[in-house]
Each structure stands twice: as C-alpha cells, then as structure tokens.
Amino acid sequence: MGRADASQPIIVSRDLTKRFGGRAGLTALDRISLDVREGEFVALLGPSGCGKSTFLRCLAGLEQPTEGELLFDGRPIQGPPQGLGIAFQRDALLDWFDVLQNVLLPAEFGGLRVRDHEPRARELLRMVGLQDFAHVYPSALSGGMRQRVAICRSLLLEPRLLLMDEPFGALDAMTRDQLNADLHRIWADRRMTTLFVTHSITEAVFLSTRVVVFSPRPGRVAENVVLDLPAHRTLALREEPEFLRYARGFRALFETMGLIHG
Amino acid sequence: MSRAGRILLPLLGAVLFLLAWEVAVRILGVRPIMLPPPSAILHELSTAPLWFAEQAVYTTLITLAGFAMAAVLGVAFSILIVEWAVLERILFPLFVALNSVPKVAVAPLFIIWFGTGSEPKIAIAFLIAVFAVVIDSALGLRSVPADTLDLARALHGSRFKVLVRIKLYCALPHIFAGLKVAMSLALVGAIVGEFVSSGRGLGYVILTAQGQFDTARVFAAIAILGVLGVVLIGALDVVERYALPWRHRVAPGSGH
Ligand SMILES: Nc1ncnc2c1ncn2[C@@H]1O[C@H](COP(=O)(O)OP(=O)(O)O)[C@@H](O)[C@H]1O
Ligand SMILES: [Mg+2]
C-alpha cells in the first residue's frame, strides 16, 4: 500500500487563502494552516458560510487556492487526487442505477474492472445493514439508508483520504445518531484519514480525534483541539463528563465569537 | 384513481360532448354543410373504412418518419451544443433564427427540392418538430445537480462516461417532454405537407373534400386526426414508462 511514515502529515495546508471574484472579492478562507496526519479523524466545525466546504473542495481538487500551499502526500493538489473518497450533504446517488451500481461508481468512473470490486461493494453494504437492498433503486430508500449507500460508495476503493461535507446534515436527529455510531464503527475499524465538516458540536466531539474550529467570514482557524477521548466510542459517551467538558468548551468559544447568545 | 376510472372518465367526457353536439345540431337545425352531426360523420367513416384507414396509415408513417428524424437529430444536436460551448455560440443563434421562419412558408420550396413524394412532407414534419426536442434535451442535459458533477470529477470520470452515465439519464424526463410536443408538431407538419401537394393522406382528404363542400368527410378526417394524436402521444407515454423504470419501480428487475 505504500503507507507514508506516520509522522509525515498526509495533508499540509500552509497559509491557504481562497478568494472568490478577484482581488476585491470575497475572502472565503484566510491563511489556513493545518496539518493532518495519517489515521486522524478531523472535524471541521464552524457556522454556515465560514468556508468549510470551500476548504474541502480545495482538498478535493475542485477549487484552486488563491494563495498559499496545499499538499497531499507532499505533492501540491492540482486536480482531484487519487485515493480520495467523498460524501456530500445531498447524497448525490444516481437515481437510475440500483444501490450496488451506485456503490460501484468509483470503480466504473476510475476505469477499473467493475466486476472485480463487486465483492467489496457487497461487503460494505453488509457492514451498514443494506445487503438486502443491493438491487433496489435509491428512490425506494429512506434518507438515512441513502446516506449509508453514499458512505459505502465513498469507501469502495479504500480511500487514503475521506472527505465528508455535512453528510448527515439533512437527516432527522435519531437517524443522525445512528449514522454517527455507524461511521465511528467503520472508522475505528479501518482508520482512514477523514475530514468531516459539520456545524454540530456534539457530532464533531463524538466522531473525531481532533476538532478544528473555523471562525466566521473570512474563515480562519480559531481553535485546534486534539481530543483526549477513548478510541472506541458508543453514543453513551455523550453523557460522560469529559465529553460534556469538550462540548461546553466549544459552545463557549462560539459564544465569544458572537455566534450563540445565551 | 383506479385503472378503469382513468380510461372510463375521459371516455365519458367524449361521449357527453358528442351527445351535446348531436342534440344541438338537431334542435337548432344547423345545415349539415356547415356542421354535420356526429352520426353523419360516423356514417361517412363507415362508407369507406378501408380507404380512410389507408389515408390514416400514410399520414401516420409521414409523421413517424419526421418525428424519428427530429428525435435522433434533435438529441444529437443538443449534445453537441451542450458539450462544446463554441459550437453553441456558432450554431445556436442560427438555429433559433432559422426556427423563427414559419415552416409553412418554406413548404412549397421543399416541393421544388424533393418533388411530390413523401420526402418533402417528412422534411416539413421534421423541421416543425425538431426545435422542441433540441430545447428540452439541452435543458435536460444541463439539469445535472452541481454536486453530482463534482462527484464525477473527483472520481476522475471521463467526459464520455459523464455524458452517458449521468447527463443523458438526467435529461431523459426532459427529452420525453420534448418528444411529446414534437410528436404533435410532426403530425401538424405532415398535414401541412399534404396540404401543399399530395395525392394521399388525411391532409389530402381534407383538402379535396373541402373543394367538394363535403363537410362530413372533412370532419371524418379531422376525427381520425384527433384519435391519431391521442394514440401517438399515448404510445410515447408507454415507451417512457419502460425507458425510465427507476421512476415507476422499486427495483430494476421488479414487475412495476
Ligand atoms: N463558487 C463560489 N463563488 C463565489 N462565492 C462562493 C463560492 N463558493 C462559496 N462562496 C462563498 O464563500 C463563503 C464560504 O462558503 P462555504 O465554503 O460554502 O461555507 P460553509 O461550507 O462553511 O457553509 C460563503 O460566503 C460563500 O458564499
Ligand atoms: Mg458547506
């Protein structure tokens, strides 16, 4: 697999600035400096419009930074890098393909032999309890099930880097809890490097090994906290004192930024 | 609504309409040369059913030929202009300008070019129908959500794969909307073609019957055209259900 040295960061962002609409335009990201190491689960936490999605899109090679440096495995990101898994808030499933075909899309679009990846796709579906839905159209699934399919799709090619942009943002609270637990289980199992955008403090603290807080426009790194929480977590963790201490800390930070009024 | 209701209720509407027509013509004593009652039109049809059928088949074939050309070339043209912005800039304004010329005015020219056979009629049917296909198909090809295209890019999907695996599927419902309009327009085009020069077809029947003040025969041809339009659009509805199974079914293999 050619895994990089664990001390070598897989992502390096140095003074990354992104402006839309030329010199006088809107600054979405202002000198973001951030390293991410192999196997980390980093939550990007911040209010709407603070540039979280833009940062993720730069990492996915879908946007070019205006200034600064952005490296993946030591190389500048020019286009979408190899070994990337992506999931969005809207699951972006293709309605006209069945569940299995949707999960296999990265193989198909990557020009790989789709049949070779079918066992892996079925295994992923089994992992999220959707083994009986392989040949069903997405329209027949609930929102939570669709998002599970999208996660399977993002994991098909064993990505070295998983980018998730508010994947559970459109789900009801109970489904969201379930998917948080599912995603944590999957991550604890394979430890793929993950950047997870959210504006839920609870979700960020529950899922991640590190929380990076973005300040509102222009997006800057306001806080960068490595969490000292158990590696294997259950939803019950959210009632533990150490979890609540972190959650309270981030809420206090949001208050000082003027985003929450008590 | 039940299956029977979906078919029976519109039929009931048609029967009531015909009854009202029949009664009104009789009570008001309208002269048959102005407006024959439905019974007279039915009688007219029954005098030479095979002959009417032959004319209807001819018009149908012209319509379908013009429609098929419009469907194939229209979708192909929309792919060209959507995929290559330069082509759109060069060709689309020209296409719009050409389309704004009334096709009926061009019909006599086609007789000069193609003679008096089927070709000029197919050409007119095609010309009238193709615009709707191009507009709706281009709209459909552009209707892919932005994040779906982002995903395709991040997965290194080739342009061709994005076209045939994403854009065309996304466009299908729009394409079918355009095809239904195109079908009605192709029928109009076929009749226009037959008006201009023909020895066959329902347009020819209308034109000659009008010359003889045979109003019942004119109405008989119009009635056939009405039924023809409904049947052709209905056939497209059936094709659409099979072409877009994910809109009507739970799974690719399942019954419905
Ligand atoms: N393509 C774009 N063109 C212009 N402005 C954009 C574009 N994408 C994002 N922005 C702006 O950049 C800012 C950050 O957006 P975004 O990264 O989506 O924030 P977040 O994901 O944190 O809600 C917003 O003010 C948004 O309007
Ligand atoms: Mg966002």
Side-chain angles (χ1 to χ4, degrees):
Chain A
M1 270 297 277
R3 295 251 154 174
D5 177 0
S7 62
Q8 171 89 24
I10 180 170
I11 292 168
V12 175
S13 174
R14 286 272 161 276
D15 292 326
L16 176 97
T17 295
K18 177 71 187 176
R19 265 189 297 273
F20 289 107
R23 278 244 134 237
L26 172 127
T27 305
L29 296 171
D30 188 24
R31 284 165 291 150
I32 303 285
S33 290
L34 183 69
D35 288 1
V36 178
R37 285 170 199 291
E38 189 105 44
E40 275 193 288
F41 192 117
V42 177
L44 299 179
L45 182 62
S48 274
C50 70
K52 306 179 298 291
S53 296
T54 304
F55 185 64
L56 228 57
R57 290 174 58 79
C58 288
L59 283 170
L62 297 168
E63 300 276 4
Q64 285 299 312
T66 313
E67 281 160 31
E69 204 176 29
L70 191 59
L71 308 178
F72 176 59
D73 264 344
R75 279 184 295 274
I77 297 173
Q78 247 119 31
Q82 293 288 344
L84 204 67
I86 294 197
F88 302 104
Q89 173 168 359
R90 215 187 55 90
D91 50 62
L93 296 184
L94 305 182
D95 292 332
W96 42 88
F97 291 145
D98 68 21
V99 163
L100 184 65
Q101 288 173 307
N102 268 285
V103 175
L104 285 166
L105 196 74
E108 150 113 60
F109 273 20
L112 307 171
R113 280 194 26 184
V114 172
R115 220 173 329 122
D116 296 348
H117 292 82
E118 199 182 311
R120 166 94 182 121
R122 287 186 184 275
E123 181 203 322
L124 285 164
L125 286 173
R126 195 159 37 245
M127 203 172 63
V128 297
L130 289 177
Q131 62 277 13
D132 296 335
F133 294 88
H135 296 297
V136 162
Y137 285 122
S139 60
L141 303 181
S142 69
M145 292 158 97
R146 291 176 64 107
Q147 203 51 261
R148 284 194 186 102
V149 175
I151 291 173
C152 290
R153 180 180 62 191
S154 71
L155 293 173
L156 181 74
L157 301 180
E158 300 273 5
R160 296 208 43 223
L161 177 62
L162 182 58
L163 303 176
M164 308 184 96
D165 193 351
E166 299 191 40
F168 310 142
L171 303 179
D172 61 87
M174 218 181 300
T175 311
R176 193 169 181 155
D177 282 356
Q178 183 58 54
L179 278 163
N180 274 327
D182 289 348
L183 178 61
H184 175 72
R185 189 166 39 80
I186 294 168
W187 176 82
D189 197 35
R190 22 194 112 220
R191 299 288 172 136
M192 63 280 182
T193 314
T194 306
L195 265 83
F196 185 97
V197 166
T198 180
H199 47 234
S200 155
I201 293 173
T202 309
E203 194 169 68
V205 177
F206 175 73
L207 284 170
S208 57
T209 58
R210 179 147 64 108
V211 176
V212 173
V213 181
F214 276 32
S215 67
R217 261 165 286 195
R220 291 199 182 104
V221 176
E223 191 82 83
N224 190 340
V225 184
V226 176
L227 302 182
D228 183 18
L229 290 173
H232 285 270
R233 304 172 190 180
T234 59
L235 291 173
L237 173 71
R238 302 185 306 185
E239 272 102 60
E240 298 298 322
E242 69 265 39
F243 183 97
L244 294 171
R245 202 164 46 238
Y246 282 124
R248 211 175 303 125
F250 291 120
R251 204 160 295 123
L253 178 63
F254 276 17
E255 273 172 33
T256 59
M257 290 196 288
L259 295 167
I260 313 179
H261 304 282
Chain B
M1 200 192 294
S2 74
R3 205 187 174 83
R6 267 205 309 269
I7 297 170
L8 285 182
L9 288 181
L11 220 56
L12 180 69
V15 169
L16 285 179
F17 171 71
L18 292 176
L19 263 179
W21 178 352
E22 182 84 35
V23 170
V25 165
R26 282 172 191 239
I27 289 180
L28 300 174
V30 181
R31 287 161 59 210
I33 196 167
M34 298 308 288
L35 184 64
S39 57
I41 299 168
L42 261 179
H43 178 259
E44 171 66 26
L45 282 169
S46 69
T47 54
L50 280 181
W51 180 78
F52 274 112
E54 202 184 312
Q55 310 313 316
V57 166
Y58 180 75
T59 301
T60 306
L61 290 179
I62 299 286
T63 303
L64 287 177
F67 167 80
M69 276 179 67
V72 172
L73 296 176
V75 171
F77 184 72
S78 74
I79 290 174
L80 286 182
I81 60 171
V82 168
E83 289 296 307
W84 287 280
V86 186
L87 284 185
E88 165 159 36
R89 230 152 287 144
I90 298 174
L91 294 177
F92 196 66
L94 184 70
F95 177 71
V96 172
L98 286 179
N99 183 67
S100 61
V101 175
K103 259 73 64 179
V104 185
V106 192
L109 198 58
F110 281 25
I111 309 295
I112 299 176
W113 289 344
F114 299 119
T116 53
S118 312
E119 293 87 350
K121 301 170 192 75
I122 295 173
I124 294 163
F126 160 75
L127 266 194
I128 293 188
V130 73
F131 194 70
V133 180
V134 172
I135 297 300
D136 276 339
S137 174
L139 183 76
L141 289 168
R142 291 198 171 103
S143 71
V144 184
D147 50 5
T148 303
L149 289 177
D150 283 345
L151 179 78
R153 245 180 90 200
L155 297 177
H156 300 101
S158 69
R159 208 159 151 187
F160 179 73
K161 281 230 169 96
V162 172
L163 177 65
V164 298
R165 291 273 182 271
I166 295 181
K167 289 188 181 177
L168 277 175
Y169 280 103
C170 250
L172 267 184
H174 297 266
I175 291 177
F176 270 100
L179 288 183
K180 282 175 206 166
V181 176
M183 185 65 96
S184 332
L185 291 177
L187 188 54
V188 172
I191 298 300
V192 167
E194 289 170 2
F195 275 175
V196 175
S197 119
S198 196
R200 301 164 73 186
L202 294 171
Y204 162 77
V205 171
I206 291 172
L207 210 65
T208 48
Q210 176 253 316
Q212 296 154 6
F213 291 94
D214 190 347
T215 317
R217 179 166 287 191
V218 171
F219 268 100
I222 290 174
I224 297 175
L225 276 174
V227 173
L228 202 55
V230 171
V231 169
L232 289 175
I233 301 288
L236 268 179
D237 273 328
V238 173
V239 174
E240 181 178 7
R241 289 185 75 85
Y242 281 95
L244 285 76
W246 63 93
R247 293 209 151 188
H248 314 286
R249 294 189 207 156
V250 169
S254 68
H256 53 273

